[in-house]
Amino acid sequence: MIVSRRGLIAGTAASGAVLLTGCDRVIQQPATRRILFLGEDMHRGLQRALTNRDALAPEFASEQRSPFFRPNGTRDPGTPQYAALRAGNFADWRLAVGGLVARPLSLSLKDLGALPQRAQITRHDCVEGWSAIGKWQGPQLADVLKAAGTRDSARYIVFTCADLYGGAPYYESIDLVDAFHPQTILAWTLNDRFLPVANGAPCRLRVERQLGYKHAKYLMRIDAVASLDGIGRGKGGYWEDNVDYDWYAGI
Ligand SMILES: Nc1nc2c(c(=O)[nH]1)N[C@H]1C(S)=C(S)[C@@H](COP(=O)(O)O)O[C@H]1N2
Ligand SMILES: [Mo]
């Protein structure tokens, strides 16, 4: 993904030089014409890379990480169920993967760690006006969904968390473009350590092209659904339902 994207950009820069020489006489030559058309294709490719939903969020160097990754929202779900899981170091925690899937899954932390891992140093942007850079690692959500086999009727992925707001779990949802984006991972480490409780232990979503509130912490369930109707108040997330935050919070 990254390599092919770099390839596209490099190709466009090189063909840009050819385009500048584009007088008629040069264009008549079949070889040049081929390069020019190739250049146009590459230009379209670059446009896609820059504007499309599958573009990558910026990644940072180790030394750019924030010394402290500020927690926000729930810092400890504090329910009896969560307290028991925490007391056992999350050995009994399972992530349920269900809804419109061919093979429902129940994944332990060990199962998540056994899948191919992606590590990324990214900037988290909270709508309240602060940012922090941290390194996250975990399996790509795409791999988990492929293992479960999302059905053709699935349109959204819904994340249900362990913490309660007014008695109902915090929840969030994303569409399949973000669900299958390469930087969308189920993170179980932050800066090379198990996730702190304040940052969503034992596992939280990282969906790097969107604002902080989409990054559901304390994951308990993931469900593939055809529609967001009938889930919470139908707007696709706790904040969307309650304070009118946008469902698509692209950055
Ligand atoms: N389950 C759950 N997930 C959540 C929240 C929350 O309160 N509960 N807060 C959201 C908000 S607004 C932000 S900015 C980030 C904060 O992540 P952090 O605590 O690691 O900084 O988590 C998001 N995910
Ligand atoms: Mo936030």
Side-chain angles (χ1 to χ4, degrees), residues 179-200:
F180 284 89
H181 187 284
Q183 288 170 320
T184 299
I185 65 174
L186 299 178
W188 56 277
T189 74
L190 167 57
N191 293 328
D192 301 315
R193 294 164 187 265
F194 286 109
L195 280 195
V197 165
N199 302 103

PDB file of all heavy atoms in Angstrom, residues 179-200:
ATOM      1  N   ALA A 179     -13.274   0.630   7.931  1.00  0.00           N
ATOM      2  CA  ALA A 179     -13.035  -0.668   8.591  1.00  0.00           C
ATOM      3  C   ALA A 179     -11.899  -1.430   7.908  1.00  0.00           C
ATOM      4  O   ALA A 179     -11.117  -2.115   8.564  1.00  0.00           O
ATOM      5  CB  ALA A 179     -14.313  -1.501   8.599  1.00  0.00           C
ATOM      6  N   PHE A 180     -11.806  -1.286   6.579  1.00  0.00           N
ATOM      7  CA  PHE A 180     -10.768  -2.011   5.830  1.00  0.00           C
ATOM      8  C   PHE A 180      -9.551  -1.140   5.513  1.00  0.00           C
ATOM      9  O   PHE A 180      -8.658  -1.568   4.796  1.00  0.00           O
ATOM     10  CB  PHE A 180     -11.368  -2.634   4.564  1.00  0.00           C
ATOM     11  CG  PHE A 180     -12.185  -3.871   4.867  1.00  0.00           C
ATOM     12  CD1 PHE A 180     -13.539  -3.773   5.152  1.00  0.00           C
ATOM     13  CD2 PHE A 180     -11.589  -5.121   4.911  1.00  0.00           C
ATOM     14  CE1 PHE A 180     -14.300  -4.904   5.470  1.00  0.00           C
ATOM     15  CE2 PHE A 180     -12.324  -6.261   5.213  1.00  0.00           C
ATOM     16  CZ  PHE A 180     -13.688  -6.152   5.499  1.00  0.00           C
ATOM     17  N   HIS A 181      -9.517   0.087   6.041  1.00  0.00           N
ATOM     18  CA  HIS A 181      -8.357   0.965   5.852  1.00  0.00           C
ATOM     19  C   HIS A 181      -7.150   0.338   6.559  1.00  0.00           C
ATOM     20  O   HIS A 181      -7.279  -0.205   7.659  1.00  0.00           O
ATOM     21  CB  HIS A 181      -8.687   2.333   6.464  1.00  0.00           C
ATOM     22  CG  HIS A 181      -7.662   3.390   6.219  1.00  0.00           C
ATOM     23  ND1 HIS A 181      -6.473   3.429   6.909  1.00  0.00           N
ATOM     24  CD2 HIS A 181      -7.643   4.439   5.367  1.00  0.00           C
ATOM     25  CE1 HIS A 181      -5.768   4.472   6.486  1.00  0.00           C
ATOM     26  NE2 HIS A 181      -6.454   5.101   5.547  1.00  0.00           N
ATOM     27  N   PRO A 182      -5.964   0.396   5.938  1.00  0.00           N
ATOM     28  CA  PRO A 182      -4.807  -0.306   6.535  1.00  0.00           C
ATOM     29  C   PRO A 182      -4.413   0.193   7.923  1.00  0.00           C
ATOM     30  O   PRO A 182      -3.842  -0.561   8.709  1.00  0.00           O
ATOM     31  CB  PRO A 182      -3.670  -0.056   5.528  1.00  0.00           C
ATOM     32  CG  PRO A 182      -4.157   0.986   4.593  1.00  0.00           C
ATOM     33  CD  PRO A 182      -5.657   0.962   4.627  1.00  0.00           C
ATOM     34  N   GLN A 183      -4.705   1.464   8.232  1.00  0.00           N
ATOM     35  CA  GLN A 183      -4.328   1.983   9.565  1.00  0.00           C
ATOM     36  C   GLN A 183      -5.430   1.794  10.608  1.00  0.00           C
ATOM     37  O   GLN A 183      -5.299   2.284  11.720  1.00  0.00           O
ATOM     38  CB  GLN A 183      -3.986   3.471   9.474  1.00  0.00           C
ATOM     39  CG  GLN A 183      -2.664   3.751   8.781  1.00  0.00           C
ATOM     40  CD  GLN A 183      -2.501   5.234   8.496  1.00  0.00           C
ATOM     41  OE1 GLN A 183      -3.458   5.903   8.107  1.00  0.00           O
ATOM     42  NE2 GLN A 183      -1.297   5.751   8.676  1.00  0.00           N
ATOM     43  N   THR A 184      -6.491   1.119  10.246  1.00  0.00           N
ATOM     44  CA  THR A 184      -7.534   0.860  11.240  1.00  0.00           C
ATOM     45  C   THR A 184      -7.195  -0.434  11.964  1.00  0.00           C
ATOM     46  O   THR A 184      -7.240  -1.518  11.372  1.00  0.00           O
ATOM     47  CB  THR A 184      -8.915   0.786  10.558  1.00  0.00           C
ATOM     48  OG1 THR A 184      -9.174   2.050   9.934  1.00  0.00           O
ATOM     49  CG2 THR A 184     -10.003   0.494  11.576  1.00  0.00           C
ATOM     50  N   ILE A 185      -6.799  -0.285  13.227  1.00  0.00           N
ATOM     51  CA  ILE A 185      -6.320  -1.456  13.971  1.00  0.00           C
ATOM     52  C   ILE A 185      -7.038  -1.579  15.315  1.00  0.00           C
ATOM     53  O   ILE A 185      -7.617  -0.616  15.821  1.00  0.00           O
ATOM     54  CB  ILE A 185      -4.785  -1.394  14.211  1.00  0.00           C
ATOM     55  CG1 ILE A 185      -4.390  -0.225  15.114  1.00  0.00           C
ATOM     56  CG2 ILE A 185      -4.042  -1.324  12.868  1.00  0.00           C
ATOM     57  CD1 ILE A 185      -2.908  -0.215  15.497  1.00  0.00           C
ATOM     58  N   LEU A 186      -6.979  -2.787  15.848  1.00  0.00           N
ATOM     59  CA  LEU A 186      -7.479  -3.044  17.202  1.00  0.00           C
ATOM     60  C   LEU A 186      -6.256  -3.015  18.106  1.00  0.00           C
ATOM     61  O   LEU A 186      -5.539  -4.004  18.247  1.00  0.00           O
ATOM     62  CB  LEU A 186      -8.195  -4.400  17.250  1.00  0.00           C
ATOM     63  CG  LEU A 186      -9.409  -4.510  16.321  1.00  0.00           C
ATOM     64  CD1 LEU A 186     -10.022  -5.903  16.394  1.00  0.00           C
ATOM     65  CD2 LEU A 186     -10.466  -3.452  16.667  1.00  0.00           C
ATOM     66  N   ALA A 187      -5.991  -1.843  18.679  1.00  0.00           N
ATOM     67  CA  ALA A 187      -4.736  -1.635  19.405  1.00  0.00           C
ATOM     68  C   ALA A 187      -4.805  -2.235  20.803  1.00  0.00           C
ATOM     69  O   ALA A 187      -5.767  -1.992  21.542  1.00  0.00           O
ATOM     70  CB  ALA A 187      -4.426  -0.150  19.484  1.00  0.00           C
ATOM     71  N   TRP A 188      -3.803  -2.990  21.144  1.00  0.00           N
ATOM     72  CA  TRP A 188      -3.693  -3.527  22.511  1.00  0.00           C
ATOM     73  C   TRP A 188      -2.404  -3.049  23.183  1.00  0.00           C
ATOM     74  O   TRP A 188      -2.161  -3.361  24.338  1.00  0.00           O
ATOM     75  CB  TRP A 188      -3.839  -5.058  22.523  1.00  0.00           C
ATOM     76  CG  TRP A 188      -2.872  -5.783  21.633  1.00  0.00           C
ATOM     77  CD1 TRP A 188      -3.006  -5.996  20.287  1.00  0.00           C
ATOM     78  CD2 TRP A 188      -1.635  -6.378  22.022  1.00  0.00           C
ATOM     79  NE1 TRP A 188      -1.908  -6.669  19.806  1.00  0.00           N
ATOM     80  CE2 TRP A 188      -1.060  -6.939  20.860  1.00  0.00           C
ATOM     81  CE3 TRP A 188      -0.966  -6.500  23.244  1.00  0.00           C
ATOM     82  CZ2 TRP A 188       0.158  -7.589  20.873  1.00  0.00           C
ATOM     83  CZ3 TRP A 188       0.250  -7.169  23.253  1.00  0.00           C
ATOM     84  CH2 TRP A 188       0.800  -7.703  22.076  1.00  0.00           C
ATOM     85  N   THR A 189      -1.570  -2.281  22.448  1.00  0.00           N
ATOM     86  CA  THR A 189      -0.429  -1.629  23.104  1.00  0.00           C
ATOM     87  C   THR A 189      -0.433  -0.135  22.764  1.00  0.00           C
ATOM     88  O   THR A 189      -0.896   0.283  21.698  1.00  0.00           O
ATOM     89  CB  THR A 189       0.945  -2.201  22.695  1.00  0.00           C
ATOM     90  OG1 THR A 189       1.265  -1.776  21.373  1.00  0.00           O
ATOM     91  CG2 THR A 189       0.985  -3.725  22.765  1.00  0.00           C
ATOM     92  N   LEU A 190       0.106   0.639  23.700  1.00  0.00           N
ATOM     93  CA  LEU A 190       0.384   2.070  23.508  1.00  0.00           C
ATOM     94  C   LEU A 190       1.836   2.269  23.919  1.00  0.00           C
ATOM     95  O   LEU A 190       2.209   1.933  25.052  1.00  0.00           O
ATOM     96  CB  LEU A 190      -0.551   2.921  24.376  1.00  0.00           C
ATOM     97  CG  LEU A 190      -0.184   4.413  24.518  1.00  0.00           C
ATOM     98  CD1 LEU A 190      -0.088   5.112  23.169  1.00  0.00           C
ATOM     99  CD2 LEU A 190      -1.191   5.126  25.423  1.00  0.00           C
ATOM    100  N   ASN A 191       2.637   2.799  23.003  1.00  0.00           N
ATOM    101  CA  ASN A 191       4.067   3.009  23.270  1.00  0.00           C
ATOM    102  C   ASN A 191       4.739   1.751  23.824  1.00  0.00           C
ATOM    103  O   ASN A 191       5.458   1.791  24.828  1.00  0.00           O
ATOM    104  CB  ASN A 191       4.257   4.216  24.201  1.00  0.00           C
ATOM    105  CG  ASN A 191       3.847   5.499  23.496  1.00  0.00           C
ATOM    106  OD1 ASN A 191       3.997   5.624  22.273  1.00  0.00           O
ATOM    107  ND2 ASN A 191       3.308   6.457  24.244  1.00  0.00           N
ATOM    108  N   ASP A 192       4.454   0.634  23.175  1.00  0.00           N
ATOM    109  CA  ASP A 192       5.105  -0.656  23.448  1.00  0.00           C
ATOM    110  C   ASP A 192       4.763  -1.281  24.804  1.00  0.00           C
ATOM    111  O   ASP A 192       5.450  -2.191  25.255  1.00  0.00           O
ATOM    112  CB  ASP A 192       6.629  -0.542  23.288  1.00  0.00           C
ATOM    113  CG  ASP A 192       7.019  -0.100  21.882  1.00  0.00           C
ATOM    114  OD1 ASP A 192       6.449  -0.658  20.911  1.00  0.00           O
ATOM    115  OD2 ASP A 192       7.850   0.816  21.745  1.00  0.00           O
ATOM    116  N   ARG A 193       3.700  -0.794  25.426  1.00  0.00           N
ATOM    117  CA  ARG A 193       3.221  -1.434  26.659  1.00  0.00           C
ATOM    118  C   ARG A 193       1.746  -1.753  26.490  1.00  0.00           C
ATOM    119  O   ARG A 193       1.056  -1.129  25.686  1.00  0.00           O
ATOM    120  CB  ARG A 193       3.376  -0.500  27.863  1.00  0.00           C
ATOM    121  CG  ARG A 193       4.833  -0.224  28.193  1.00  0.00           C
ATOM    122  CD  ARG A 193       4.930   0.981  29.115  1.00  0.00           C
ATOM    123  NE  ARG A 193       6.342   1.335  29.291  1.00  0.00           N
ATOM    124  CZ  ARG A 193       7.091   0.915  30.315  1.00  0.00           C
ATOM    125  NH1 ARG A 193       6.564   0.175  31.264  1.00  0.00           N
ATOM    126  NH2 ARG A 193       8.364   1.242  30.396  1.00  0.00           N
ATOM    127  N   PHE A 194       1.258  -2.716  27.294  1.00  0.00           N
ATOM    128  CA  PHE A 194      -0.174  -2.966  27.286  1.00  0.00           C
ATOM    129  C   PHE A 194      -0.906  -1.645  27.489  1.00  0.00           C
ATOM    130  O   PHE A 194      -0.423  -0.775  28.216  1.00  0.00           O
ATOM    131  CB  PHE A 194      -0.559  -3.940  28.409  1.00  0.00           C
ATOM    132  CG  PHE A 194      -0.172  -5.364  28.130  1.00  0.00           C
ATOM    133  CD1 PHE A 194       0.864  -5.975  28.829  1.00  0.00           C
ATOM    134  CD2 PHE A 194      -0.844  -6.105  27.157  1.00  0.00           C
ATOM    135  CE1 PHE A 194       1.225  -7.292  28.569  1.00  0.00           C
ATOM    136  CE2 PHE A 194      -0.492  -7.419  26.887  1.00  0.00           C
ATOM    137  CZ  PHE A 194       0.552  -8.013  27.594  1.00  0.00           C
ATOM    138  N   LEU A 195      -2.047  -1.500  26.856  1.00  0.00           N
ATOM    139  CA  LEU A 195      -2.815  -0.256  26.999  1.00  0.00           C
ATOM    140  C   LEU A 195      -3.062   0.035  28.477  1.00  0.00           C
ATOM    141  O   LEU A 195      -3.535  -0.839  29.194  1.00  0.00           O
ATOM    142  CB  LEU A 195      -4.205  -0.403  26.356  1.00  0.00           C
ATOM    143  CG  LEU A 195      -4.396  -0.278  24.867  1.00  0.00           C
ATOM    144  CD1 LEU A 195      -5.887  -0.102  24.578  1.00  0.00           C
ATOM    145  CD2 LEU A 195      -3.626   0.885  24.310  1.00  0.00           C
ATOM    146  N   PRO A 196      -2.792   1.259  28.924  1.00  0.00           N
ATOM    147  CA  PRO A 196      -3.218   1.634  30.277  1.00  0.00           C
ATOM    148  C   PRO A 196      -4.749   1.631  30.344  1.00  0.00           C
ATOM    149  O   PRO A 196      -5.422   1.842  29.330  1.00  0.00           O
ATOM    150  CB  PRO A 196      -2.684   3.059  30.432  1.00  0.00           C
ATOM    151  CG  PRO A 196      -1.624   3.214  29.388  1.00  0.00           C
ATOM    152  CD  PRO A 196      -2.045   2.338  28.252  1.00  0.00           C
ATOM    153  N   VAL A 197      -5.275   1.412  31.541  1.00  0.00           N
ATOM    154  CA  VAL A 197      -6.730   1.437  31.706  1.00  0.00           C
ATOM    155  C   VAL A 197      -7.285   2.777  31.221  1.00  0.00           C
ATOM    156  O   VAL A 197      -8.300   2.835  30.530  1.00  0.00           O
ATOM    157  CB  VAL A 197      -7.108   1.157  33.185  1.00  0.00           C
ATOM    158  CG1 VAL A 197      -8.564   1.531  33.457  1.00  0.00           C
ATOM    159  CG2 VAL A 197      -6.868  -0.316  33.503  1.00  0.00           C
ATOM    160  N   ALA A 198      -6.612   3.867  31.533  1.00  0.00           N
ATOM    161  CA  ALA A 198      -7.114   5.195  31.152  1.00  0.00           C
ATOM    162  C   ALA A 198      -7.248   5.362  29.638  1.00  0.00           C
ATOM    163  O   ALA A 198      -8.067   6.154  29.165  1.00  0.00           O
ATOM    164  CB  ALA A 198      -6.198   6.276  31.714  1.00  0.00           C
ATOM    165  N   ASN A 199      -6.444   4.620  28.878  1.00  0.00           N
ATOM    166  CA  ASN A 199      -6.472   4.748  27.415  1.00  0.00           C
ATOM    167  C   ASN A 199      -7.225   3.598  26.732  1.00  0.00           C
ATOM    168  O   ASN A 199      -7.121   3.427  25.523  1.00  0.00           O
ATOM    169  CB  ASN A 199      -5.061   4.854  26.842  1.00  0.00           C
ATOM    170  CG  ASN A 199      -4.275   6.031  27.396  1.00  0.00           C
ATOM    171  OD1 ASN A 199      -3.413   5.860  28.246  1.00  0.00           O
ATOM    172  ND2 ASN A 199      -4.589   7.245  26.960  1.00  0.00           N
ATOM    173  N   GLY A 200      -7.970   2.813  27.516  1.00  0.00           N
ATOM    174  CA  GLY A 200      -8.882   1.858  26.880  1.00  0.00           C
ATOM    175  C   GLY A 200      -8.583   0.390  27.028  1.00  0.00           C
ATOM    176  O   GLY A 200      -9.059  -0.415  26.224  1.00  0.00           O
TER     177      GLY A 200
END
